[in-house]
Every structure is written in C-alpha cells, then in structure tokens.
Amino acid sequence: MKLKSIRGCFFMLKLQIDHSSDLKRLRDEGYTVYIKGGILFVEDIPYVNSKCEIAIGTLISTLTLLGGRAKYDQDHKAYFIGNAPCHKDGREMSEIINTKGTQNHGDEIISQMMLSSKPEGNYRDYHHKMTAYATMISSPAQSLDPIATPKKHKVFQEVENDSMFHYYDTNASRASISHIADKLKPYKIGIIGLGGTGSYILDFVAKTPVSQIHLFDGDEFFSHNAFRAPGAPSIEELNTGMKKVEYLEKIYSKMHRNIIVHPVYMNEENLPLLDTVDFVFVAVDEGSVKKVIFSYLDDKNIEYVDVGMGVSIKGDKLSGMLRTTSFMTSHSKRLQASINYSNAEDDIYGSNIQIAELNALNASLAVLAWKQSAGFYQSLIDVEQTMFTLSTMNLIRTEDAA
Amino acid sequence: MSNQENSRDKILGPEKEFTIIIDGQEHDFNEKKISYEKVIQLAGKSSIGPDRMVTVAYERGEHNKSGTLEVGYEVKVNKGMFFHVEATNRS
C-alpha cells in the first residue's frame, strides 16, 4: 500500500500575496492583508459605530486567481465583519451598506453585512477596491482620532493552509458556497474499480475537499481505457504501462493532496482496507466480488453507491441503461437482490460496450447520490436507485419504500 | 394518445390486444399484467439464476407510471408502454 505524502502548502500561500502586485501593494502600504479559504481579508479597519465610538472591523472580498496571481474580476461587492460602519455623527453609511445579514463564506468565515460601492468604470484591481472601502469606512474614525488608520504595518504570519487542494477552490468561494462544500470535508472516500465509470467518479470527487480518496484497482491502464476515462493521455504515457490507479493518481494529485492508491483487486483478504473509509463508490466489472464487498460494508455500517451500465446493439444503433443504486444505512438493502453478480467471462451476451459520456453520466449520478446524502444537494425524495434509459432519455427513480 | 382515441376507448371498451414496446421492438399483448419473467422472455434475454439478474425498467405504464420491475413481480400493462431489458453490470 502506497501512501501519498502531503505536499507543503505554506510556500503556495506566500507566493500568492507576493506574486500579485495589487495584493503585495496592499501589504506594502501597511494593510493587514491575507488570504484564507480563498477569501481576501483586510483586517484592522477602524470605524465609527452608531454610538460614535471607534471600533475595529474586517473587510473581506471574494478572490479570483489566474495562474496563482490575483486578477480582479469586476465583482465590486465587499463584506464586512463588525457592526455597521457610520459617519462621524453616528449615522450609518447607508450609501455603501447594501444588505445586512450574516453570510457564511465557508471555513467559519462569517460576515455581518454586504457592502456595495463602485466608481465609474469599476475598480482597477484589488488594491483599488480594498483601499477604496477601507478609506470610506475608516475616514470618520480617523477624523475623530488621527492614529486610527488601517495601515498598521504589522509583521504578519501567514495563515496555515489546511486545505485539501494544492490551490484554493475559488470556484466555491466566488460563488459563496464554501460553507456548503465544507460538509464534504470530513469524508474519507473509497472508489473500488477505476474503469470507465470509476475514473469519472474520481474526476468529480477529486474536486471536492474530502479528506482522503482511496483508489482500489489492480488493473493496468490500456489504450482502450483511454477512450472512456477523463482527459487524453499521450502515446508515451500509454506506453509506460502504468496501473490504472497510478495513472489517475498522477493526474488528480496535481489538484487534491490526499489520494491514496491501492493497486490491488478487492477480495476477501483485503476487505479490511475499507475500514478507514466512510463512503464507498463500487464501480467494479467483476460482479462476484460485489457480494462480499456489500456484506462487509453493511456489517461496518459504511454507506455506498453501486453503479452498472448495460449497452447493447439494436440494429445499427446503441441502446442501454445506466443504473445507480444507493445503499445508505437508512435503506433496506432489498435492492441487493436485483444486482447482477456475474463476471465478464460468464457474460452470455458477450457485450462490454462502454462509451465515455455514458460512463461520465453514470459517475455523475453516483456522485449526486453521495452529495445528496451528505447534505450538499437538497433531497426532497429518498431515492434508492436511478435508472437512465438511453433510448427514451428518461431517468426512472425507485423511491425508498419505508 | 389523443383525446379522441381516449373517448373512443371509453365508448367501445378497452381494446382486446395492444402494442407494447420492449427494447424498441413492438409486441402484441393482450393480458392486463405482465411479469418480469415474461418481459425478459419476450426480449429474448434470460437471467441465469439469482446472481445473474437482468434489469427490467418500464415507462408510460398505467397513470404514466415508470419504475423497475423485479423478479417475481408483475406490472399493469398499458398501450404503448415501454420496457427496457439490460444487464446493468459494467463500469
């Protein structure tokens, strides 16, 4: 069993402030600026509150990065952590306070209001934006007390990055859904079978902040696998003769820091490798091993989703079905009786037709099922199984009878 | 099914035999219900034992119902109902 070492990330964090001229300028001018959870912070903003007292607040902004550098994305909104900033006389700055109300930005970052003020033609960069807000908010404080300035010139310790990614998930932070994505953080995921469907499951799961991703597959990555896996390997890459799990880890470890490979076929002996995970995607071709896997996971109360597709030739066209069956602890497991436990060599129909977009769709449906159980997506109906019928483009649901 | 056909059925009574579609092929059927075993037989496929389950899914059933049909069960048949039969075990 090969363990992936966690790569250092403090280097990455420093790089961003130093390599972004606008962020560096903010720091050089003495602002308490840092990045946490993909959000730009400017702390130590003095302001006047409604009681005409001087208080200290924090400005935050979503951040867009291009090649590791901050690139202002025309989003002029900012958020404030503190009470409503006021003018010298205690009147609220209603001209810049857009909405009051707590907003969760993920990573326990909570703001109390949203600010909106835009010069003609929008801000030039993050320096322009943050200094504009900082000045608007702190000027009244400074007029009451000349030393109340946001430019503290603090010698700043970079915030530790405990993120699961090598670079910030600004997709979540910019859309302000980091607090929803946070629900996925505690998961240790297992993917058994990294064939067509399994590899797409990995593609999607690697883009979530789960704490570990374990890959189980003893197969090698052949050229036919390239036609139903995400991405596009070169002839040279195919010729290196890697195992599927190694080939995929090489790609996805560029993004997710904690992918652990197990280049083995799951069988009775190595079932205990699943003890460390709390959710499993079963995407194997060999049906016979499914029974022991299901039984082991049921015993350990580990939830799982099983996928399987069947595509056949109808005349000169293809048709088929994609099955996604959830086995959550609340489900009765009666659907285990309708799973096909046969192996490839026993398949009398002799067809193993898999097409990339079908593998991807099956993988998408599996990941959706997991994320619904995790509370990431709303789930109004307890769906035990979805069956996509290709010839009629229909998604047939089986609801939990309980 | 158009409104005209609907009311014609009500006046003349339900048709004795109607068409159902299994894996894209039309079949004439004249019973009220169809079983899992009958569907896979008409589809020209067969399960070999309890470990080799083939999935049967249906659409446009009575009241436009859709779902999966499991071994040992049957479902009410409707004119123009779709059935899909496939071993959903590849990944």
Side-chain angles (χ1 to χ4, degrees):
Chain A
M1 189 174 99
K2 178 180 145 202
L3 271 172
K4 188 85 194 82
S5 64
I6 294 172
R7 296 179 187 166
C9 272
F10 307 106
F11 178 66
M12 176 210 32
L13 188 48
K14 253 187 127 52
L15 218 52
Q16 281 173 349
I17 299 254
D18 288 349
H19 278 214
S20 302
S21 56
D22 47 353
L23 305 187
K24 185 171 186 298
R25 205 173 145 201
L26 279 170
R27 181 205 279 147
D28 291 345
E29 286 178 11
Y31 290 96
T32 309
V33 57
Y34 61 90
I35 302 170
K36 182 183 160 184
I39 303 274
L40 180 63
F41 282 72
V42 182
E43 263 187 9
D44 295 323
I45 309 283
Y47 67 99
V48 175
N49 64 17
S50 53
K51 296 185 212 151
C52 297
E53 298 161 335
I54 296 179
I56 311 284
T58 300
L59 272 169
I60 64 175
S61 160
T62 57
L63 191 62
T64 295
L65 302 173
L66 181 64
R69 284 188 182 82
K71 185 170 165 62
Y72 180 59
D73 56 8
Q74 308 301 304
D75 182 357
H76 64 276
K77 300 189 308 293
Y79 298 85
F80 194 65
I81 302 174
N83 289 317
C86 302
H87 293 282
K88 215 157 68 160
D89 57 3
R91 259 182 320 117
E92 282 186 8
M93 286 186 173
S94 50
E95 64 273 21
I96 67 168
I97 299 173
N98 181 294
T99 330
K100 284 196 188 173
T102 50
Q103 169 118 3
N104 191 332
H105 303 268
D107 274 300
E108 288 148 15
I109 305 164
I110 316 262
S111 62
Q112 280 75 48
M113 65 205 73
M114 182 175 94
L115 310 174
S116 177
S117 172
K118 185 172 74 156
E120 199 169 304
N122 214 325
Y123 295 110
R124 289 182 303 273
D125 56 25
Y126 286 108
H127 172 271
H128 188 190
K129 176 182 175 181
M130 301 314 264
T131 52
Y133 279 111
T135 309
M136 281 186 271
I137 293 169
S138 63
S139 300
Q142 213 161 5
S143 71
L144 290 182
D145 181 352
I147 68 158
T149 162
K151 298 180 186 178
K152 303 283 185 220
H153 291 278
K154 279 184 177 170
V155 173
F156 205 79
Q157 277 280 52
E158 296 288 4
V159 177
E160 239 179 65
N161 174 32
D162 59 358
S163 160
M164 271 306 125
F165 302 112
H166 286 293
Y167 42 96
Y168 287 117
D169 177 10
T170 44
N171 182 50
S173 57
R174 290 178 70 219
S176 301
I177 59 163
S178 298
H179 64 294
I180 298 176
D182 281 353
K183 295 183 191 185
L184 305 175
K185 280 186 177 176
Y187 279 89
K188 297 191 187 72
I189 302 286
I191 306 175
I192 309 176
L194 276 305
T197 306
S199 58
Y200 277 103
I201 291 174
L202 171 60
D203 184 279
F204 302 136
V205 173
K207 291 167 177 140
T208 68
V210 293
S211 87
Q212 287 177 6
I213 307 173
H214 291 260
L215 310 180
F216 303 90
D217 198 323
D219 265 357
E220 267 152 17
F221 193 84
F222 292 106
S223 61
H224 63 264
N225 298 119
F227 289 87
R228 50 181 195 245
S234 65
I235 296 175
E236 291 76 31
E237 284 172 301
L238 288 175
N239 286 340
T240 55
M242 281 191 272
K243 295 263 183 188
K244 279 178 181 166
V245 293
E246 286 159 355
Y247 168 75
L248 293 167
E249 189 268 350
K250 198 154 173 265
I251 299 169
Y252 291 97
S253 62
K254 287 188 277 179
M255 207 166 170
H256 198 284
R257 288 164 49 188
N258 227 354
I259 298 173
I260 299 140
V261 303
H262 308 269
V264 293
Y265 295 106
M266 191 54 68
N267 58 35
E268 295 223 29
E269 281 88 61
N270 52 39
L271 282 168
L273 287 172
L274 296 171
D275 288 350
T276 48
V277 306
D278 35 49
F279 194 94
V280 179
F281 290 97
V282 183
V284 296
D285 247 9
E286 300 298 302
S288 58
V289 76
K290 282 192 190 186
K291 275 202 176 172
V292 298
I293 294 173
F294 291 169
S295 165
Y296 193 82
L297 295 175
D298 288 343
D299 264 350
K300 300 266 167 180
N301 266 319
I302 297 171
E303 299 188 320
Y304 52 104
V305 170
D306 179 75
V307 292
M309 71 166 75
V311 178
S312 48
I313 303 172
K314 307 273 195 292
D316 65 344
K317 300 191 169 91
L318 296 178
S319 182
M321 285 197 279
L322 314 179
R323 176 187 58 80
T324 309
T325 316
S326 300
F327 292 102
M328 305 304 172
T329 43
S330 62
H331 292 157
S332 70
K333 316 289 190 318
R334 64 188 176 86
L335 291 177
Q336 284 177 354
S338 28
I339 304 264
N340 187 309
Y341 297 104
S342 65
N343 289 334
E345 57 266 20
D346 309 322
D347 194 338
I348 62 161
Y349 304 117
S351 109
N352 183 14
I353 302 171
Q354 296 183 48
I355 310 292
E357 61 270 16
L358 299 180
N359 288 108
L361 179 53
N362 211 353
S364 294
L365 292 167
V367 173
L368 290 179
W370 161 56
K371 283 186 166 181
Q372 278 197 321
S373 78
F376 182 89
Y377 291 121
Q378 192 180 47
S379 171
L380 301 176
I381 304 174
D382 192 358
V383 177
E384 280 189 299
Q385 182 169 271
T386 54
M387 194 74 61
F388 178 74
T389 50
L390 195 45
S391 57
T392 53
M393 296 288 258
N394 195 12
L395 196 62
I396 298 170
R397 295 183 312 234
T398 302
E399 292 172 40
D400 186 10
Chain B
M1 218 154 62
S2 69
N3 278 332
Q4 255 190 330
E5 274 178 67
N6 237 329
S7 42
R8 189 157 59 90
D9 279 344
K10 288 190 179 124
I11 296 163
L12 300 176
E15 291 165 39
K16 286 260 159 70
E17 203 173 64
F18 43 79
T19 307
I20 60 174
I21 301 119
I22 302 178
D23 281 347
Q25 298 262 50
E26 289 187 350
H27 294 263
D28 292 323
F29 203 73
N30 58 10
E31 283 163 59
K32 285 202 178 125
K33 292 186 177 182
I34 192 167
S35 69
Y36 173 93
E37 288 75 14
K38 187 71 184 168
V39 175
I40 63 175
Q41 184 215 323
L42 289 175
K45 293 185 173 156
S46 52
S47 284
I48 316 170
D51 280 355
R52 313 289 171 85
M53 285 297 127
V54 159
T55 301
V56 172
Y58 61 87
E59 306 171 60
R60 298 192 180 172
E62 198 195 33
H63 308 306
N64 207 16
K65 210 163 164 272
S66 65
T68 49
L69 188 55
E70 279 150 63
V71 63
Y73 285 83
E74 42 181 28
V75 68
K76 268 197 184 159
V77 194
N78 217 26
K79 176 176 154 177
M81 200 165 168
F82 283 115
F83 288 89
H84 309 280
V85 185
E86 209 71 63
T88 51
N89 61 345
R90 294 266 166 250
S91 276

